[in-house]
mmCIF file of all heavy atoms in Angstrom:
data_model
loop_
_atom_site.group_PDB
_atom_site.id
_atom_site.type_symbol
_atom_site.label_atom_id
_atom_site.label_comp_id
_atom_site.label_asym_id
_atom_site.label_seq_id
_atom_site.Cartn_x
_atom_site.Cartn_y
_atom_site.Cartn_z
ATOM 1 N N SER A 1 0.870 -1.172 0.000
ATOM 2 C CA SER A 1 0.000 0.000 0.000
ATOM 3 C C SER A 1 0.905 1.219 0.000
ATOM 4 O O SER A 1 1.777 1.349 0.861
ATOM 5 C CB SER A 1 -0.885 0.010 1.244
ATOM 6 O OG SER A 1 -1.750 -1.092 1.214
ATOM 7 N N ILE A 2 0.687 2.099 -0.960
ATOM 8 C CA ILE A 2 1.598 3.231 -1.147
ATOM 9 C C ILE A 2 0.816 4.530 -1.091
ATOM 10 O O ILE A 2 -0.293 4.631 -1.612
ATOM 11 C CB ILE A 2 2.332 3.112 -2.496
ATOM 12 C CG1 ILE A 2 3.198 1.848 -2.464
ATOM 13 C CG2 ILE A 2 3.155 4.351 -2.789
ATOM 14 C CD1 ILE A 2 3.915 1.550 -3.737
ATOM 15 N N THR A 3 1.422 5.524 -0.453
ATOM 16 C CA THR A 3 0.896 6.884 -0.454
ATOM 17 C C THR A 3 1.994 7.790 -1.000
ATOM 18 O O THR A 3 3.149 7.701 -0.577
ATOM 19 C CB THR A 3 0.490 7.338 0.959
ATOM 20 O OG1 THR A 3 -0.465 6.418 1.479
ATOM 21 C CG2 THR A 3 -0.107 8.736 0.939
ATOM 22 N N ILE A 4 1.613 8.619 -1.949
ATOM 23 C CA ILE A 4 2.555 9.595 -2.502
ATOM 24 C C ILE A 4 1.976 10.997 -2.344
ATOM 25 O O ILE A 4 0.766 11.155 -2.174
ATOM 26 C CB ILE A 4 2.854 9.336 -3.995
ATOM 27 C CG1 ILE A 4 1.567 9.423 -4.829
ATOM 28 C CG2 ILE A 4 3.572 8.023 -4.211
ATOM 29 C CD1 ILE A 4 1.791 9.810 -6.256
ATOM 30 N N TYR A 5 2.851 11.983 -2.374
ATOM 31 C CA TYR A 5 2.391 13.366 -2.371
ATOM 32 C C TYR A 5 2.895 14.049 -3.627
ATOM 33 O O TYR A 5 3.928 13.684 -4.185
ATOM 34 C CB TYR A 5 2.871 14.129 -1.130
ATOM 35 C CG TYR A 5 4.363 14.322 -1.076
ATOM 36 C CD1 TYR A 5 4.967 15.416 -1.690
ATOM 37 C CD2 TYR A 5 5.178 13.404 -0.417
ATOM 38 C CE1 TYR A 5 6.341 15.592 -1.650
ATOM 39 C CE2 TYR A 5 6.542 13.569 -0.367
ATOM 40 C CZ TYR A 5 7.127 14.663 -0.991
ATOM 41 O OH TYR A 5 8.486 14.830 -0.961
ATOM 42 N N ILE A 6 2.128 15.028 -4.071
ATOM 43 C CA ILE A 6 2.530 15.887 -5.177
ATOM 44 C C ILE A 6 2.179 17.307 -4.764
ATOM 45 O O ILE A 6 1.026 17.590 -4.430
ATOM 46 C CB ILE A 6 1.803 15.513 -6.485
ATOM 47 C CG1 ILE A 6 2.122 14.070 -6.872
ATOM 48 C CG2 ILE A 6 2.201 16.489 -7.604
ATOM 49 C CD1 ILE A 6 1.315 13.541 -8.037
ATOM 50 N N TYR A 7 3.180 18.184 -4.748
ATOM 51 C CA TYR A 7 2.967 19.586 -4.417
ATOM 52 C C TYR A 7 3.173 20.417 -5.681
ATOM 53 O O TYR A 7 4.191 20.281 -6.360
ATOM 54 C CB TYR A 7 3.960 20.072 -3.361
ATOM 55 C CG TYR A 7 3.840 19.420 -2.011
ATOM 56 C CD1 TYR A 7 4.847 19.577 -1.064
ATOM 57 C CD2 TYR A 7 2.751 18.639 -1.655
ATOM 58 C CE1 TYR A 7 4.755 18.991 0.190
ATOM 59 C CE2 TYR A 7 2.657 18.047 -0.403
ATOM 60 C CZ TYR A 7 3.669 18.226 0.509
ATOM 61 O OH TYR A 7 3.581 17.633 1.744
ATOM 62 N N VAL A 8 2.210 21.262 -5.970
ATOM 63 C CA VAL A 8 2.311 22.211 -7.071
ATOM 64 C C VAL A 8 2.551 23.577 -6.447
ATOM 65 O O VAL A 8 1.788 24.016 -5.583
ATOM 66 C CB VAL A 8 1.018 22.235 -7.915
ATOM 67 C CG1 VAL A 8 1.107 23.302 -8.990
ATOM 68 C CG2 VAL A 8 0.742 20.862 -8.510
ATOM 69 N N VAL A 9 3.607 24.243 -6.897
ATOM 70 C CA VAL A 9 3.997 25.528 -6.308
ATOM 71 C C VAL A 9 4.071 26.583 -7.417
ATOM 72 O O VAL A 9 4.735 26.378 -8.429
ATOM 73 C CB VAL A 9 5.359 25.418 -5.594
ATOM 74 C CG1 VAL A 9 5.716 26.723 -4.890
ATOM 75 C CG2 VAL A 9 5.371 24.241 -4.608
ATOM 76 N N SER A 10 3.357 27.685 -7.198
ATOM 77 C CA SER A 10 3.338 28.762 -8.182
ATOM 78 C C SER A 10 3.213 30.108 -7.472
ATOM 79 O O SER A 10 2.727 30.171 -6.344
ATOM 80 C CB SER A 10 2.155 28.572 -9.144
ATOM 81 O OG SER A 10 2.075 29.650 -10.048
ATOM 82 N N ASP A 11 3.610 31.151 -8.162
ATOM 83 C CA ASP A 11 3.404 32.495 -7.624
ATOM 84 C C ASP A 11 2.062 33.059 -8.069
ATOM 85 O O ASP A 11 1.714 34.184 -7.730
ATOM 86 C CB ASP A 11 4.558 33.426 -7.991
ATOM 87 C CG ASP A 11 4.770 33.563 -9.487
ATOM 88 O OD1 ASP A 11 4.201 32.767 -10.261
ATOM 89 O OD2 ASP A 11 5.535 34.461 -9.893
ATOM 90 N N LYS A 12 1.300 32.267 -8.816
ATOM 91 C CA LYS A 12 -0.042 32.664 -9.270
ATOM 92 C C LYS A 12 -1.044 31.605 -8.791
ATOM 93 O O LYS A 12 -0.911 30.423 -9.118
ATOM 94 C CB LYS A 12 -0.086 32.771 -10.788
ATOM 95 C CG LYS A 12 0.845 33.827 -11.340
ATOM 96 C CD LYS A 12 0.835 33.797 -12.863
ATOM 97 C CE LYS A 12 1.844 34.749 -13.436
ATOM 98 N NZ LYS A 12 3.188 34.190 -13.485
ATOM 99 N N TYR A 13 -2.034 32.044 -8.040
ATOM 100 C CA TYR A 13 -3.001 31.115 -7.443
ATOM 101 C C TYR A 13 -3.733 30.274 -8.489
ATOM 102 O O TYR A 13 -3.768 29.044 -8.399
ATOM 103 C CB TYR A 13 -4.000 31.885 -6.579
ATOM 104 C CG TYR A 13 -5.042 30.986 -5.947
ATOM 105 C CD1 TYR A 13 -4.689 30.078 -4.968
ATOM 106 C CD2 TYR A 13 -6.372 31.052 -6.347
ATOM 107 C CE1 TYR A 13 -5.635 29.246 -4.389
ATOM 108 C CE2 TYR A 13 -7.330 30.234 -5.776
ATOM 109 C CZ TYR A 13 -6.949 29.324 -4.793
ATOM 110 O OH TYR A 13 -7.884 28.498 -4.234
ATOM 111 N N ILE A 14 -4.328 30.911 -9.486
ATOM 112 C CA ILE A 14 -5.098 30.181 -10.500
ATOM 113 C C ILE A 14 -4.197 29.210 -11.254
ATOM 114 O O ILE A 14 -4.596 28.075 -11.545
ATOM 115 C CB ILE A 14 -5.822 31.144 -11.474
ATOM 116 C CG1 ILE A 14 -6.816 32.019 -10.706
ATOM 117 C CG2 ILE A 14 -6.504 30.379 -12.596
ATOM 118 C CD1 ILE A 14 -7.901 31.251 -9.953
ATOM 119 N N GLU A 15 -2.983 29.613 -11.549
ATOM 120 C CA GLU A 15 -2.031 28.724 -12.215
ATOM 121 C C GLU A 15 -1.772 27.481 -11.369
ATOM 122 O O GLU A 15 -1.740 26.362 -11.887
ATOM 123 C CB GLU A 15 -0.725 29.463 -12.491
ATOM 124 C CG GLU A 15 0.314 28.614 -13.205
ATOM 125 C CD GLU A 15 1.580 29.396 -13.499
ATOM 126 O OE1 GLU A 15 2.231 29.868 -12.533
ATOM 127 O OE2 GLU A 15 1.909 29.531 -14.691
ATOM 128 N N SER A 16 -1.625 27.648 -10.052
ATOM 129 C CA SER A 16 -1.399 26.490 -9.180
ATOM 130 C C SER A 16 -2.585 25.534 -9.232
ATOM 131 O O SER A 16 -2.413 24.315 -9.252
ATOM 132 C CB SER A 16 -1.112 26.929 -7.738
ATOM 133 O OG SER A 16 -2.278 27.396 -7.073
ATOM 134 N N LEU A 17 -3.799 26.083 -9.287
ATOM 135 C CA LEU A 17 -5.000 25.250 -9.383
ATOM 136 C C LEU A 17 -5.045 24.496 -10.707
ATOM 137 O O LEU A 17 -5.365 23.300 -10.748
ATOM 138 C CB LEU A 17 -6.259 26.108 -9.261
ATOM 139 C CG LEU A 17 -6.522 26.792 -7.922
ATOM 140 C CD1 LEU A 17 -7.728 27.699 -8.041
ATOM 141 C CD2 LEU A 17 -6.710 25.769 -6.822
ATOM 142 N N GLU A 18 -4.761 25.197 -11.797
ATOM 143 C CA GLU A 18 -4.828 24.568 -13.118
ATOM 144 C C GLU A 18 -3.802 23.450 -13.279
ATOM 145 O O GLU A 18 -4.102 22.391 -13.827
ATOM 146 C CB GLU A 18 -4.655 25.627 -14.203
ATOM 147 C CG GLU A 18 -5.855 26.556 -14.285
ATOM 148 C CD GLU A 18 -5.650 27.753 -15.200
ATOM 149 O OE1 GLU A 18 -4.491 28.069 -15.559
ATOM 150 O OE2 GLU A 18 -6.671 28.384 -15.556
ATOM 151 N N ILE A 19 -2.597 23.664 -12.783
ATOM 152 C CA ILE A 19 -1.559 22.625 -12.859
ATOM 153 C C ILE A 19 -1.950 21.438 -11.983
ATOM 154 O O ILE A 19 -1.830 20.281 -12.401
ATOM 155 C CB ILE A 19 -0.182 23.190 -12.468
ATOM 156 C CG1 ILE A 19 0.268 24.238 -13.486
ATOM 157 C CG2 ILE A 19 0.851 22.051 -12.356
ATOM 158 C CD1 ILE A 19 1.459 25.065 -13.049
ATOM 159 N N ALA A 20 -2.424 21.710 -10.772
ATOM 160 C CA ALA A 20 -2.850 20.624 -9.878
ATOM 161 C C ALA A 20 -3.978 19.817 -10.517
ATOM 162 O O ALA A 20 -3.984 18.581 -10.438
ATOM 163 C CB ALA A 20 -3.281 21.184 -8.526
ATOM 164 N N ASN A 21 -4.901 20.495 -11.153
ATOM 165 C CA ASN A 21 -6.010 19.812 -11.810
ATOM 166 C C ASN A 21 -5.511 18.914 -12.952
ATOM 167 O O ASN A 21 -5.952 17.777 -13.104
ATOM 168 C CB ASN A 21 -7.007 20.842 -12.321
ATOM 169 C CG ASN A 21 -8.330 20.234 -12.685
ATOM 170 O OD1 ASN A 21 -8.929 19.521 -11.884
ATOM 171 N ND2 ASN A 21 -8.791 20.510 -13.887
ATOM 172 N N ALA A 22 -4.583 19.425 -13.746
ATOM 173 C CA ALA A 22 -4.010 18.633 -14.841
ATOM 174 C C ALA A 22 -3.244 17.426 -14.307
ATOM 175 O O ALA A 22 -3.348 16.320 -14.856
ATOM 176 C CB ALA A 22 -3.097 19.514 -15.694
ATOM 177 N N ILE A 23 -2.496 17.622 -13.244
ATOM 178 C CA ILE A 23 -1.760 16.502 -12.650
ATOM 179 C C ILE A 23 -2.731 15.474 -12.086
ATOM 180 O O ILE A 23 -2.537 14.267 -12.246
ATOM 181 C CB ILE A 23 -0.757 17.003 -11.593
ATOM 182 C CG1 ILE A 23 0.392 17.727 -12.302
ATOM 183 C CG2 ILE A 23 -0.237 15.842 -10.740
ATOM 184 C CD1 ILE A 23 1.373 18.398 -11.401
ATOM 185 N N ARG A 24 -3.786 15.941 -11.460
ATOM 186 C CA ARG A 24 -4.802 15.006 -10.964
ATOM 187 C C ARG A 24 -5.331 14.156 -12.117
ATOM 188 O O ARG A 24 -5.454 12.942 -11.993
ATOM 189 C CB ARG A 24 -5.948 15.768 -10.297
ATOM 190 C CG ARG A 24 -7.037 14.855 -9.799
ATOM 191 C CD ARG A 24 -8.184 15.612 -9.183
ATOM 192 N NE ARG A 24 -9.182 14.680 -8.670
ATOM 193 C CZ ARG A 24 -10.285 15.037 -8.069
ATOM 194 N NH1 ARG A 24 -10.540 16.327 -7.870
ATOM 195 N NH2 ARG A 24 -11.137 14.130 -7.644
ATOM 196 N N HIS A 25 -5.625 14.798 -13.259
ATOM 197 C CA HIS A 25 -6.120 14.062 -14.428
ATOM 198 C C HIS A 25 -5.090 13.041 -14.922
ATOM 199 O O HIS A 25 -5.464 11.992 -15.439
ATOM 200 C CB HIS A 25 -6.481 15.008 -15.558
ATOM 201 C CG HIS A 25 -7.665 15.865 -15.260
ATOM 202 N ND1 HIS A 25 -7.949 17.001 -15.982
ATOM 203 C CD2 HIS A 25 -8.638 15.775 -14.320
ATOM 204 C CE1 HIS A 25 -9.036 17.565 -15.498
ATOM 205 N NE2 HIS A 25 -9.469 16.836 -14.489
ATOM 206 N N SER A 26 -3.803 13.362 -14.790
ATOM 207 C CA SER A 26 -2.751 12.461 -15.278
ATOM 208 C C SER A 26 -2.516 11.274 -14.356
ATOM 209 O O SER A 26 -1.975 10.253 -14.796
ATOM 210 C CB SER A 26 -1.441 13.231 -15.478
ATOM 211 O OG SER A 26 -0.818 13.520 -14.240
ATOM 212 N N ILE A 27 -2.920 11.387 -13.096
ATOM 213 C CA ILE A 27 -2.609 10.354 -12.098
ATOM 214 C C ILE A 27 -3.845 9.576 -11.653
ATOM 215 O O ILE A 27 -3.830 8.352 -11.601
ATOM 216 C CB ILE A 27 -1.983 11.016 -10.839
ATOM 217 C CG1 ILE A 27 -0.719 11.782 -11.196
ATOM 218 C CG2 ILE A 27 -1.743 10.006 -9.746
ATOM 219 C CD1 ILE A 27 0.538 11.014 -11.152
ATOM 220 N N GLU A 28 -4.915 10.295 -11.323
ATOM 221 C CA GLU A 28 -6.091 9.658 -10.719
ATOM 222 C C GLU A 28 -6.695 8.608 -11.647
ATOM 223 O O GLU A 28 -6.804 8.820 -12.851
ATOM 224 C CB GLU A 28 -7.140 10.717 -10.389
ATOM 225 C CG GLU A 28 -8.271 10.192 -9.543
ATOM 226 C CD GLU A 28 -9.225 11.292 -9.118
ATOM 227 O OE1 GLU A 28 -9.452 12.243 -9.906
ATOM 228 O OE2 GLU A 28 -9.740 11.212 -8.004
ATOM 229 N N SER A 29 -7.037 7.480 -11.078
ATOM 230 C CA SER A 29 -7.625 6.328 -11.778
ATOM 231 C C SER A 29 -6.648 5.643 -12.726
ATOM 232 O O SER A 29 -7.036 4.748 -13.472
ATOM 233 C CB SER A 29 -8.893 6.732 -12.534
ATOM 234 O OG SER A 29 -9.844 7.253 -11.638
ATOM 235 N N HIS A 30 -5.391 6.057 -12.701
ATOM 236 C CA HIS A 30 -4.374 5.455 -13.567
ATOM 237 C C HIS A 30 -4.091 4.026 -13.107
ATOM 238 O O HIS A 30 -4.001 3.750 -11.914
ATOM 239 C CB HIS A 30 -3.090 6.288 -13.498
ATOM 240 C CG HIS A 30 -2.242 6.187 -14.709
ATOM 241 N ND1 HIS A 30 -2.272 7.107 -15.718
ATOM 242 C CD2 HIS A 30 -1.335 5.261 -15.081
ATOM 243 C CE1 HIS A 30 -1.418 6.773 -16.656
ATOM 244 N NE2 HIS A 30 -0.833 5.648 -16.292
ATOM 245 N N ILE A 31 -3.945 3.129 -14.051
ATOM 246 C CA ILE A 31 -3.522 1.747 -13.821
ATOM 247 C C ILE A 31 -2.346 1.513 -14.756
ATOM 248 O O ILE A 31 -2.361 1.963 -15.905
ATOM 249 C CB ILE A 31 -4.654 0.753 -14.145
ATOM 250 C CG1 ILE A 31 -5.862 1.002 -13.245
ATOM 251 C CG2 ILE A 31 -4.175 -0.684 -14.017
ATOM 252 C CD1 ILE A 31 -7.096 0.221 -13.648
ATOM 253 N N TYR A 32 -1.326 0.814 -14.266
ATOM 254 C CA TYR A 32 -0.139 0.616 -15.096
ATOM 255 C C TYR A 32 0.464 -0.752 -14.803
ATOM 256 O O TYR A 32 0.501 -1.191 -13.653
ATOM 257 C CB TYR A 32 0.884 1.713 -14.806
ATOM 258 C CG TYR A 32 2.118 1.616 -15.648
ATOM 259 C CD1 TYR A 32 2.137 2.161 -16.937
ATOM 260 C CD2 TYR A 32 3.250 0.968 -15.193
ATOM 261 C CE1 TYR A 32 3.272 2.067 -17.733
ATOM 262 C CE2 TYR A 32 4.390 0.873 -15.983
ATOM 263 C CZ TYR A 32 4.390 1.420 -17.250
ATOM 264 O OH TYR A 32 5.503 1.317 -18.033
ATOM 265 N N LYS A 33 0.957 -1.379 -15.853
ATOM 266 C CA LYS A 33 1.643 -2.669 -15.680
ATOM 267 C C LYS A 33 2.691 -2.816 -16.768
ATOM 268 O O LYS A 33 2.433 -2.532 -17.941
ATOM 269 C CB LYS A 33 0.646 -3.819 -15.755
ATOM 270 C CG LYS A 33 1.285 -5.170 -15.523
ATOM 271 C CD LYS A 33 0.267 -6.284 -15.514
ATOM 272 C CE LYS A 33 0.979 -7.591 -15.205
ATOM 273 N NZ LYS A 33 0.060 -8.685 -14.978
ATOM 274 N N ASP A 34 3.887 -3.211 -16.363
ATOM 275 C CA ASP A 34 4.924 -3.620 -17.303
ATOM 276 C C ASP A 34 5.671 -4.787 -16.671
ATOM 277 O O ASP A 34 5.224 -5.325 -15.655
ATOM 278 C CB ASP A 34 5.823 -2.446 -17.721
ATOM 279 C CG ASP A 34 6.674 -1.868 -16.597
ATOM 280 O OD1 ASP A 34 6.803 -2.512 -15.531
ATOM 281 O OD2 ASP A 34 7.224 -0.774 -16.790
ATOM 282 N N ASN A 35 6.806 -5.168 -17.229
ATOM 283 C CA ASN A 35 7.525 -6.328 -16.684
ATOM 284 C C ASN A 35 8.238 -6.018 -15.373
ATOM 285 O O ASN A 35 8.768 -6.921 -14.732
ATOM 286 C CB ASN A 35 8.501 -6.893 -17.716
ATOM 287 C CG ASN A 35 9.564 -5.889 -18.120
ATOM 288 O OD1 ASN A 35 9.506 -4.713 -17.758
ATOM 289 N ND2 ASN A 35 10.528 -6.340 -18.887
ATOM 290 N N GLU A 36 8.230 -4.759 -14.946
ATOM 291 C CA GLU A 36 8.913 -4.356 -13.720
ATOM 292 C C GLU A 36 7.958 -4.122 -12.551
ATOM 293 O O GLU A 36 8.298 -4.375 -11.400
ATOM 294 C CB GLU A 36 9.717 -3.076 -13.992
ATOM 295 C CG GLU A 36 10.568 -2.611 -12.832
ATOM 296 C CD GLU A 36 11.436 -1.437 -13.206
ATOM 297 O OE1 GLU A 36 10.907 -0.342 -13.501
ATOM 298 O OE2 GLU A 36 12.671 -1.618 -13.200
ATOM 299 N N ILE A 37 6.743 -3.631 -12.855
ATOM 300 C CA ILE A 37 5.860 -3.180 -11.774
ATOM 301 C C ILE A 37 4.394 -3.251 -12.210
ATOM 302 O O ILE A 37 4.090 -3.146 -13.396
ATOM 303 C CB ILE A 37 6.230 -1.735 -11.357
ATOM 304 C CG1 ILE A 37 5.717 -1.394 -9.977
ATOM 305 C CG2 ILE A 37 5.791 -0.734 -12.398
ATOM 306 C CD1 ILE A 37 6.360 -0.142 -9.392
ATOM 307 N N THR A 38 3.519 -3.433 -11.231
ATOM 308 C CA THR A 38 2.074 -3.338 -11.445
ATOM 309 C C THR A 38 1.539 -2.307 -10.470
ATOM 310 O O THR A 38 1.728 -2.443 -9.257
ATOM 311 C CB THR A 38 1.374 -4.691 -11.205
ATOM 312 O OG1 THR A 38 1.889 -5.637 -12.136
ATOM 313 C CG2 THR A 38 -0.133 -4.575 -11.377
ATOM 314 N N ILE A 39 0.889 -1.275 -11.000
ATOM 315 C CA ILE A 39 0.289 -0.227 -10.178
ATOM 316 C C ILE A 39 -1.216 -0.316 -10.365
ATOM 317 O O ILE A 39 -1.712 -0.197 -11.484
ATOM 318 C CB ILE A 39 0.810 1.166 -10.589
ATOM 319 C CG1 ILE A 39 2.327 1.237 -10.386
ATOM 320 C CG2 ILE A 39 0.088 2.268 -9.814
ATOM 321 C CD1 ILE A 39 2.964 2.493 -10.937
ATOM 322 N N ASP A 40 -1.917 -0.568 -9.264
ATOM 323 C CA ASP A 40 -3.373 -0.639 -9.315
ATOM 324 C C ASP A 40 -3.956 0.764 -9.302
ATOM 325 O O ASP A 40 -3.227 1.745 -9.223
ATOM 326 C CB ASP A 40 -3.896 -1.479 -8.153
ATOM 327 C CG ASP A 40 -3.507 -2.949 -8.297
ATOM 328 O OD1 ASP A 40 -3.368 -3.423 -9.448
ATOM 329 O OD2 ASP A 40 -3.322 -3.624 -7.270
ATOM 330 N N VAL A 41 -5.249 0.866 -9.355
ATOM 331 C CA VAL A 41 -5.946 2.145 -9.491
ATOM 332 C C VAL A 41 -5.435 3.180 -8.477
ATOM 333 O O VAL A 41 -5.461 2.951 -7.271
ATOM 334 C CB VAL A 41 -7.463 1.966 -9.317
ATOM 335 C CG1 VAL A 41 -8.184 3.294 -9.438
ATOM 336 C CG2 VAL A 41 -8.000 0.976 -10.320
ATOM 337 N N ILE A 42 -4.994 4.319 -8.993
ATOM 338 C CA ILE A 42 -4.498 5.405 -8.149
ATOM 339 C C ILE A 42 -5.687 6.280 -7.756
ATOM 340 O O ILE A 42 -6.452 6.712 -8.616
ATOM 341 C CB ILE A 42 -3.426 6.229 -8.889
ATOM 342 C CG1 ILE A 42 -2.242 5.326 -9.258
ATOM 343 C CG2 ILE A 42 -2.980 7.412 -8.035
ATOM 344 C CD1 ILE A 42 -1.193 6.004 -10.128
ATOM 345 N N LYS A 43 -5.810 6.521 -6.457
ATOM 346 C CA LYS A 43 -6.953 7.289 -5.941
ATOM 347 C C LYS A 43 -6.471 8.537 -5.217
ATOM 348 O O LYS A 43 -5.525 8.488 -4.439
ATOM 349 C CB LYS A 43 -7.764 6.430 -4.966
ATOM 350 C CG LYS A 43 -8.315 5.175 -5.605
ATOM 351 C CD LYS A 43 -8.961 4.291 -4.567
ATOM 352 C CE LYS A 43 -9.373 2.964 -5.202
ATOM 353 N NZ LYS A 43 -9.728 1.976 -4.221
ATOM 354 N N LEU A 44 -7.160 9.643 -5.494
ATOM 355 C CA LEU A 44 -6.878 10.876 -4.764
ATOM 356 C C LEU A 44 -7.378 10.709 -3.343
ATOM 357 O O LEU A 44 -8.534 10.379 -3.113
ATOM 358 C CB LEU A 44 -7.579 12.067 -5.427
ATOM 359 C CG LEU A 44 -7.388 13.412 -4.730
ATOM 360 C CD1 LEU A 44 -5.937 13.866 -4.815
ATOM 361 C CD2 LEU A 44 -8.297 14.454 -5.351
ATOM 362 N N GLU A 45 -6.496 10.904 -2.379
ATOM 363 C CA GLU A 45 -6.860 10.793 -0.969
ATOM 364 C C GLU A 45 -7.273 12.152 -0.407
ATOM 365 O O GLU A 45 -8.247 12.266 0.317
ATOM 366 C CB GLU A 45 -5.685 10.239 -0.169
ATOM 367 C CG GLU A 45 -5.984 10.011 1.279
ATOM 368 C CD GLU A 45 -4.820 9.344 1.976
ATOM 369 O OE1 GLU A 45 -4.751 8.109 1.936
ATOM 370 O OE2 GLU A 45 -3.975 10.082 2.539
ATOM 371 N N SER A 46 -6.518 13.189 -0.761
ATOM 372 C CA SER A 46 -6.852 14.526 -0.275
ATOM 373 C C SER A 46 -6.105 15.576 -1.088
ATOM 374 O O SER A 46 -5.120 15.285 -1.751
ATOM 375 C CB SER A 46 -6.491 14.678 1.212
ATOM 376 O OG SER A 46 -5.082 14.668 1.368
#
């Protein structure tokens, strides 16, 4: 069971929101498998 953090840092508030939203789209619900690793559904915790 793994927990990761991602911090988006900007000097512009709206920009920080937009980047965080895009990163959420790139990570949340992602499933991945190759010959090295299997990652089950990634869920936003907070």
Side-chain angles (χ1 to χ4, degrees):
S1 296
I2 297 177
T3 303
I4 60 153
Y5 66 87
I6 300 172
Y7 295 167
V8 176
V9 184
S10 176
D11 59 347
K12 298 175 185 83
Y13 179 68
I14 299 301
E15 181 178 61
S16 73
L17 294 174
E18 290 171 344
I19 295 168
N21 195 52
I23 289 174
R24 179 182 182 179
H25 292 163
S26 75
I27 301 271
E28 190 174 35
S29 301
H30 206 97
I31 299 171
Y32 182 84
K33 183 176 183 171
D34 66 14
N35 61 352
E36 185 174 65
I37 200 165
T38 299
I39 299 172
D40 292 330
V41 179
I42 300 174
K43 300 173 186 168
L44 178 67
E45 183 175 274
S46 69

